[in-house]
Amino acid sequence: SFPCVQGCCLSAGTILPRATGTTSARVVSPVTPTGQPATDTRTETLVAASFLSIEGETRVHRFVRSLDTQSCDRTLLDRVAEQMGWLPGASRTLIETALARARRALDAGDRLGLAVLTIGSESYPDLLGHIIDPPIVLWVKGSVAVLHEPQVAVVGARAASPSGLMAARQVGHDLASAGLPVGGGMGG
């Protein structure tokens, strides 16, 4: 659970609207930008690539980041599979499953009015693109402009103590109440 500010929350690469009076974020499935057709090959491919990552595995993200994602198409998924050393039969199954999940997520996002920012896109936060392992996609509900403003991050231990969680929640709340956008990291 991470603090929220000015109508947006960030947790595990997911940005969601803040419920009035709450400081918790929840994670949802990836989605497409509002108004962007679900058939956008670039977005669908990058969402599918994000599904190819195994929990805690960063090689897919690092490889995708090393490519020109402005003009990517579905061959990017084949290149990911080859780079990862996956067997052809297994990689085809993984890719088809990832594409099917991406299509479902994009459709759900359109229904919910959510947006996705893909790495390398104009609206993807510039500073986030410079971290070691930036997310391939960010899921957004609320103002994307908040992501381009100065902000602070509240980051802590994965196995934080109850008092540590309480302190982080209070610090995040106080900063958000002062009008600063507050983000968090790998929460869950």
Side-chain angles (χ1 to χ4, degrees):
S1 178
F2 288 96
C4 306
V5 66
Q6 298 178 348
C8 286
C9 297
L10 172 61
S11 177
T14 305
I15 300 165
L16 295 166
R18 173 172 61 133
T20 306
T22 184
T23 58
S24 62
R26 58 188 169 80
V27 178
V28 297
S29 297
V31 295
T32 190
T34 302
Q36 181 175 348
T39 56
D40 175 356
T41 302
R42 180 185 178 280
T43 299
E44 186 177 275
T45 299
L46 290 172
V47 170
S50 74
F51 285 130
L52 289 175
S53 293
I54 300 167
E55 182 90 20
E57 172 63 69
T58 60
R59 290 182 308 147
V60 170
H61 286 244
R62 288 182 185 187
F63 180 67
V64 169
R65 193 179 82 186
S66 74
L67 302 172
D68 173 19
T69 58
Q70 289 301 317
S71 59
C72 73
D73 59 21
R74 291 198 177 94
T75 61
L76 173 129
L77 301 175
D78 295 321
R79 293 188 311 202
V80 166
E82 183 180 323
Q83 179 71 23
M84 298 302 111
W86 299 335
L87 297 174
S91 66
R92 181 57 33 214
T93 301
L94 289 170
I95 289 169
E96 291 305 320
T97 300
L99 282 167
R101 288 180 68 193
R103 288 182 199 110
R104 286 191 307 271
L106 292 168
D107 289 343
D110 279 342
R111 287 191 307 276
L112 296 171
L114 300 174
V116 65
L117 306 180
T118 55
I119 194 163
S121 69
E122 191 173 303
S123 53
Y124 193 90
D126 186 53
L127 289 177
L128 187 59
H130 294 291
I131 66 172
I132 293 173
D133 291 315
I136 297 170
V137 287
L138 292 176
W139 320 118
V140 180
K141 173 99 178 179
S143 173
V144 173
V146 171
L147 300 175
H148 300 281
E149 295 176 6
Q151 50 192 280
V152 295
V154 177
V155 181
R158 290 183 189 270
S161 67
S163 62
L165 291 172
M166 189 171 73
R169 191 172 290 116
Q170 186 62 51
V171 167
H173 178 269
D174 291 349
L175 291 168
S177 294
L180 290 169
V182 179
M186 301 298 291

